[in-house]
Amino acid sequence: MERFLVKRAQDHVGEGQQQEQNEEEPVTSGKDPGGPRKRPRRETLERATHEAAPSWRHIRAEGLDCDYTVLFGKAEADGIFQELEKEVEYFTGALARVLVFGKWHNVPRKQATYGDAGLTYTFSGLTLSPKPWIPVLERVRDRVSGVTGQTFNFVLVNRYKDGCDHIGEHRDDERELAPGSPIASVSFGACRDFFFRHKESRGKNPCRRVEVVRVQLAHGSLLMMNPPTNTHWYHSLPVRKKVLAPRVNLTFRKVLPTKK
Ligand SMILES: O=C(O)CCC(=O)C(=O)O
């Protein structure tokens, strides 16, 4: 878990000091129609009598496999956002700082972790336990599980107070993640741009030019990042100075049980 919470400098360009990224970069995003790859679980099918099945946008590129949908309607998403704002307890002090090139910076967003009892993860060289699940996070987690058939035991919460808060390029490829498991990213609040950049297309002199994939993450949306996306692609939420409203993002993950 260490690398998504305490980013290595080369994996997390400009954390604490990122400039606004050029919006004119080429973007690719597949739009082939169809449903989610996982067969819905029984309770999903039962719920389907009350709720319309989400319509998925499949986003594909070389080694990138994502599915996007708006999972929560506006009224429900508004309620969840308000509850997250009231209930989530974010890191403070040393846990809200990051070491980049030997210098400490405030993390340019707020973070918190919640999850199953008994799990541990590494953060700032410390072994920590996530906070126990709270009802609003369980509700979102269970909805995601219902439509994807995937289960999750951990969530990282990132809160961006406005468009100046951001997250630099990184991959969610921590050793603690269960191999082959997807990451489910659910967003509430301000709509933000989200970029994927191929690992061979990074930096000033990339060895290849692969088009950036850009997605807009809307209020109430779910982005499924399926394997092998995080092996080949870095992702980021760039600075957007015109965005004045806050946003809360939840990335649900499946973490391996702690070795005893
Ligand atoms: O806020 C977001 O959409 C991105 C969060 C993220 O990149 C992460 O949790 O690894």
Side-chain angles (χ1 to χ4, degrees):
M1 208 56 50
E2 192 165 27
R3 291 185 57 231
F4 72 77
L5 292 165
V6 182
K7 307 294 182 186
R8 293 193 314 203
Q10 69 269 31
D11 282 356
H12 215 192
V13 175
E15 186 76 300
Q17 56 201 4
Q18 184 177 342
Q19 298 300 308
E20 194 144 359
Q21 277 178 258
N22 183 357
E23 291 194 51
E24 288 171 12
E25 285 184 271
V27 171
T28 56
S29 62
K31 285 189 179 137
D32 47 319
R37 66 186 43 230
K38 303 291 177 202
R39 192 175 289 279
R41 292 192 316 186
R42 187 183 170 83
E43 58 265 38
T44 315
L45 297 173
E46 282 161 4
R47 194 188 299 128
T49 55
H50 305 288
E51 290 172 23
S55 95
W56 295 87
R57 179 155 71 94
H58 303 296
I59 305 168
R60 302 283 187 267
E62 180 192 319
L64 182 143
D65 181 332
C66 295
D67 299 308
Y68 176 88
T69 192
V70 176
L71 190 57
F72 298 95
K74 179 164 176 355
E76 191 176 8
D78 286 351
I80 292 171
F81 180 67
Q82 278 164 22
E83 204 173 335
L84 290 168
E85 289 290 75
K86 213 168 113 211
E87 303 297 339
V88 174
E89 292 174 16
Y90 292 96
F91 295 147
T92 55
L95 296 178
R97 291 166 76 73
V98 65
L99 189 62
V100 181
F101 296 121
K103 209 173 150 206
W104 287 96
H105 297 267
N106 289 330
V107 174
R109 61 191 173 279
K110 287 207 266 182
Q111 294 185 299
T113 58
Y114 289 80
D116 287 4
L119 288 182
T120 57
Y121 64 97
T122 309
F123 179 51
S124 272
L126 302 169
T127 300
L128 299 180
S129 300
K131 288 188 163 71
W133 291 103
I134 53 175
V136 64
L137 293 173
E138 287 175 320
R139 172 179 170 192
V140 179
R141 178 200 65 196
D142 292 350
R143 184 75 72 87
V144 173
S145 290
V147 297
T148 62
Q150 298 287 340
T151 55
F152 304 94
N153 59 8
F154 183 93
V155 65
L156 170 66
V157 185
N158 277 295
R159 182 183 190 275
Y160 306 84
K161 68 178 179 326
D162 57 26
C164 292
D165 277 1
H166 61 274
I167 189 162
E169 275 185 10
H170 66 285
R171 289 183 290 183
D172 295 336
D173 59 352
E174 298 77 24
R175 271 178 290 126
E176 289 98 330
L177 292 176
S181 60
I183 292 181
S185 167
V186 188
S187 298
F188 297 98
C191 180
R192 293 283 296 262
D193 287 338
F194 186 76
F195 285 0
F196 288 99
R197 194 183 302 278
H198 194 277
K199 65 180 177 189
E200 290 169 5
S201 202
R202 303 177 70 226
K204 285 209 176 88
N205 296 304
C207 59
R208 288 173 66 201
R209 294 217 175 266
V210 183
E211 278 187 292
V212 167
V213 174
R214 192 178 73 192
V215 187
Q216 288 199 323
L217 301 180
H219 184 40
S221 68
L222 164 64
L223 177 73
M224 289 301 292
M225 291 187 265
N226 303 308
T229 306
N230 270 298
T231 306
H232 303 289
W233 293 77
Y234 285 67
H235 57 264
S236 65
L237 189 92
V239 169
R240 287 289 176 261
K241 289 195 178 137
K242 288 183 186 149
V243 174
L244 303 177
R247 168 177 181 270
V248 175
N249 175 261
L250 314 174
T251 45
F252 292 93
R253 299 150 191 261
K254 195 184 272 184
V255 169
L256 294 170
T258 307
K259 288 198 187 102
K260 296 256 156 78

